[in-house]
Amino acid sequence: MRRPLALAAWLGLIAAAVLVPPLLGDYGVAVALSLAMWVALAESWIVLSGMTGYVSLGHAVFYGLGAYVGVLLWNTVPSGFAIIAAGIASGGFAVIIGYPALRVRGPYFVMLTFGVAELVKYVVIDLEAGLGVFSRLILGGPSVIVLYYVMLCLAAAATAITFLVGRSRFGYALRAIRENEAAAETIGIAVGRFKLAAFALSAVIPGMVGAVAVARSTYFEPLSAFDPVVSFTMVTMAVIGGSDDLRGPLLGAAFLVGLSELLWANAPQIYMIILGVLLAIFVLFAPEGIAGRLFVPARRAVS
Amino acid sequence: MQILLSGQLLFAALVTGAVYVLVAFGLNLVYGTLRLLNVAHGEIVMVGAYTSFWLFTLAHISPLISLFAAIALAAALGAAIYLGLVRRLFASPRLLQRLEANSLLLFFAFSIVLQNVAALLFQPTPRAYQYLDRVIQLGNASVTENRLVILIVAVVLCIAIILFLRLHIYGLAIKALIQHREAASVVGIDVEKVQLLSFCLGFGLAALAGSLLSMTEQISPFMGFPYTIAAFVVVILGGLGNLVGGMVASLLLGVIETYGVAFTSSSLRSVLIYGIFILVLMIRPQGLLGSRMIVR
């Protein structure tokens, strides 16, 4: 009974998303685009941090790298290639950095991810300054509506990946690592390889999202592309929504995108303060997130 | 080459190191006694810096006096955080299960809130004021008085802290807690009280460092994180709860940073700090003390 209902809900959601441009006009598309972007980012974050418990506070690095690769390639190769290249670059970077980084546990890993993101940010800033470039522009990029559909595909792909990983042996292995890494290793899970795969998987989509986002904003500037606020927003969305539930990031993203539409333009600091307070409240009082609060009691009532 | 060998750089390295000693010892205290990493530590430095900045700008109170206000403010903040948030983490078994991730998110949220409250109240633009900025000759180095003051205060404080930990009953209790939590409570140490104390003390030291460096550095609502990173490097290199190790590591970091920037360019400062941080973490994931550091 529940399965077809859930399926219908997902299909309805996709249909509604596809119909945004003809029905809601320019502002609607702009908001939907940013919603799709955050869903894609937060769902990707979950593959690593929700499932393995290795909390990344530096996912902005993948988004920023994707944006950088995207802006470098955008005018030289077909845009599809630029987006794919951005995904590959971010995934590749995740493999390189993840190999040593994932040996580090707990708070050390969290700090390390933040540190790596900041390091890459400053390296790119120095690199661009060394090259004498202060911001790069994309001229004649695709229209906002095209970009919206691309971003929607990325959001759908990220959600599908999280869904499939969550159901697979791979996903169960990741959760086993979260609950007790030593025990997981004892029962034969290739802990190192699985963590690395989850890390890379959670980096590819943010890279592609970065490339699309840079085409949307039409310019690249390292300070905003690698802004720690991007990482922070991803984490907050996932935690508020519920970080081990497919629907969590969706709810968290919808909630925070709405909040940011209200506040970001006029009162960015108040928006950030609310974000921080919400994160603290959810960590302390509802670690299962909105999704956990909303759906678990209903599920019990059905069965 | 001439400038690299002069006392000028050495003095600059010493001052940087002295500030790191104070910041890092605060972090070390909180991490050592609670095993929680306070990623909002640098924001407390920022709070201290703003306290001195405003008291100087509005009331012409010397930072050497307002540093006591900064310490008191930060200690009160520490007590509020400990009693309001941290104790809740320990109280709920469900939260305790994933204590590290939860506490980090909590402290991270706290740092975001502090940064943005400061940005809202004081504007995000960097500020500075001038105090004791006369240049005096010290050997072959010319130094400003305020830097000399920072160095002197840091040295006096280090001696005071060492004496406190060696001689005072609460100092001994803090050391006991750092060495072994369970054993400490078995021998009758009031763990709650000592944790609260080290929280306040750690916050107070961070604010003191901020208050001192507001004399020489530009301050802004977002100045804090590099200090958290620097403190973290020092704690790992020097060893948990090891003040002497921390002092050596602080001076080392000060020297590396100062000379590194002098050899290359000041735009590479952040790259250098984060680079050292990442290298230290990757090469010695559990710190120089080995696995003991991450055992709860």
Side-chain angles (χ1 to χ4, degrees):
Chain A
M1 187 57 209
R2 242 177 54 242
R3 278 277 172 91
L5 211 66
L7 192 65
W10 284 107
L11 288 177
L13 195 66
I14 293 171
V18 170
L19 287 177
V20 163
L23 291 181
L24 287 180
D26 289 347
Y27 179 69
V29 174
V31 175
L33 180 63
S34 102
L35 181 60
M37 171 175 119
W38 287 113
V39 168
L41 292 175
E43 291 282 2
S44 304
W45 184 83
I46 284 209
V47 172
L48 176 76
S49 302
M51 293 196 190
T52 66
Y54 275 71
V55 173
S56 163
L57 280 186
H59 253 54
V61 72
F62 303 123
Y63 172 86
L65 272 181
Y68 194 37
V69 171
V71 80
L72 289 178
L73 293 180
W74 200 268
N75 294 326
T76 49
V77 299
S79 41
F81 281 115
I83 296 173
I84 291 169
I88 293 172
S90 287
F93 181 71
V95 171
I96 294 168
I97 204 76
Y99 183 68
L102 286 162
R103 293 184 308 157
V104 181
R105 291 186 195 177
Y108 300 96
F109 178 79
V110 181
M111 294 292 286
L112 186 59
T113 55
F114 198 104
V116 167
E118 288 292 286
L119 177 70
V120 173
K121 176 171 90 181
Y122 287 112
V123 166
V124 171
I125 288 173
D126 286 339
L127 193 67
E128 292 284 276
L131 294 171
V133 183
F134 293 100
S135 72
R136 292 174 185 271
L137 292 176
I138 288 180
L139 300 171
S143 73
V144 175
I145 293 184
V146 172
L147 290 174
Y148 168 65
Y149 283 118
V150 175
M151 199 64 104
L152 193 60
C153 290
L154 290 177
T159 312
I161 289 174
T162 308
F163 175 74
L164 292 174
V165 168
R167 296 269 163 133
S168 64
R169 287 170 62 86
F170 177 55
Y172 287 114
L174 295 181
R175 291 199 182 96
I177 292 172
R178 177 182 73 198
E179 297 308 326
N180 189 333
E181 190 164 338
E185 195 155 22
T186 312
I187 58 170
I189 294 169
V191 170
R193 244 182 297 157
F194 277 43
K195 286 190 296 189
L196 197 60
F199 197 44
L201 202 56
S202 83
V204 171
I205 298 260
M208 297 166 85
V209 168
V212 179
V214 82
R216 162 83 173 106
S217 67
T218 69
Y219 74 98
F220 171 84
E221 199 270 311
L223 270 179
S224 58
F226 291 94
D227 195 337
V229 171
V230 174
S231 307
F232 177 58
T233 311
M234 257 185 255
V235 176
T236 311
M237 282 173 175
V239 171
I240 286 181
S243 57
D244 194 8
D245 190 307
L246 197 56
R247 294 159 296 196
L250 226 59
L251 292 168
F255 182 58
L256 287 190
V257 167
L259 195 66
S260 103
E261 283 308 312
L262 288 177
L263 288 173
W264 179 254
N266 301 317
Q269 281 115 16
I270 292 181
Y271 170 71
M272 291 303 290
I273 292 170
I274 294 178
L275 230 63
V277 171
L278 280 177
L279 181 60
I281 289 175
F282 272 88
V283 166
L284 281 179
F285 300 107
E288 70 280 13
I290 300 175
R293 277 280 151 113
L294 273 185
F295 299 124
V296 169
R299 207 178 288 164
R300 259 184 222 137
V302 170
S303 59
Chain B
M1 208 59 218
Q2 195 66 38
I3 195 163
L4 292 176
L5 296 172
S6 73
Q8 200 84 33
L9 267 184
L10 186 66
F11 183 76
L14 277 178
V15 172
T16 310
V19 171
Y20 287 162
V21 169
L22 296 177
V23 183
F25 189 66
L27 190 76
N28 214 343
L29 261 184
V30 173
Y31 190 74
T33 50
L34 281 107
R35 298 294 192 276
L36 296 181
L37 184 63
N38 177 15
V39 288
H41 197 69
E43 271 61 52
I44 310 300
V45 175
M46 180 267 289
V47 168
Y50 268 104
T51 309
S52 285
F53 172 82
W54 284 116
L55 285 176
F56 183 80
T57 312
L58 298 176
H60 293 284
I61 296 174
S62 156
L64 294 177
I65 293 167
S66 66
L67 62 84
F68 292 104
I71 293 173
L73 181 66
L77 205 59
I81 292 295
Y82 180 76
L83 296 172
L85 298 180
V86 176
R87 264 210 327 212
R88 274 179 197 283
L89 277 180
F90 283 101
S92 149
R94 197 177 45 165
L95 291 173
L96 202 56
Q97 226 175 19
R98 294 175 67 186
L99 181 67
E100 279 169 348
N102 284 328
S103 67
L104 273 167
L105 289 174
L106 207 59
F107 282 127
F108 193 58
F110 179 56
S111 87
I112 295 287
V113 170
L114 275 182
Q115 280 173 12
N116 285 282
V117 166
L120 197 65
L121 294 178
F122 313 139
Q123 294 167 357
T125 43
R127 296 161 182 270
Y129 62 92
Q130 274 160 3
Y131 181 73
L132 286 182
D133 56 351
R134 246 175 356 128
V135 177
I136 49 174
Q137 223 36 55
L138 206 74
N140 64 353
S142 35
V143 300
T144 53
E145 285 173 341
N146 48 26
R147 290 200 160 77
L148 198 60
V149 168
I150 292 179
L151 198 57
I152 292 169
V153 173
V155 170
V156 170
L157 231 95
C158 282
I159 295 169
I161 291 168
I162 290 174
L163 290 179
F164 172 71
L165 288 181
R166 288 259 162 95
L167 302 176
H168 196 277
I169 185 77
Y170 273 104
L172 291 170
I174 286 175
K175 269 174 77 176
L177 211 58
I178 289 173
Q179 279 164 9
H180 206 296
R181 278 172 69 93
E182 284 74 23
S185 69
V186 166
V187 296
I189 290 170
D190 185 346
V191 174
E192 278 279 308
K193 213 169 171 183
V194 176
Q195 283 179 347
L196 177 63
L197 176 77
S198 61
F199 225 82
C200 295
L201 205 59
F203 274 45
L205 278 172
L208 169 71
S211 177
L212 288 175
L213 63 84
S214 74
M215 292 190 290
T216 62
E217 307 284 327
Q218 282 202 328
I219 64 174
S220 85
F222 306 101
M223 66 189 274
F225 199 75
Y227 289 101
T228 308
I229 290 283
F232 196 69
V233 172
V234 168
V235 169
I236 290 184
L237 275 180
L240 178 69
N242 184 343
L243 181 58
V244 179
M247 281 157 70
V248 174
S250 298
L251 292 179
L252 188 68
L253 189 64
V255 166
I256 293 175
E257 186 187 325
T258 310
Y259 283 82
V261 168
F263 270 114
T264 55
S265 87
S266 62
S267 65
L268 285 177
R269 187 196 202 95
S270 306
V271 172
L272 197 69
I273 289 264
Y274 286 110
I276 295 171
F277 166 69
I278 289 165
L279 273 182
V280 166
L281 263 184
M282 284 186 175
I283 294 169
R284 293 293 313 175
Q286 287 89 25
L288 295 180
L289 271 189
S291 60
R292 265 185 57 196
M293 271 182 79
I294 49 170
V295 173
R296 272 194 55 79

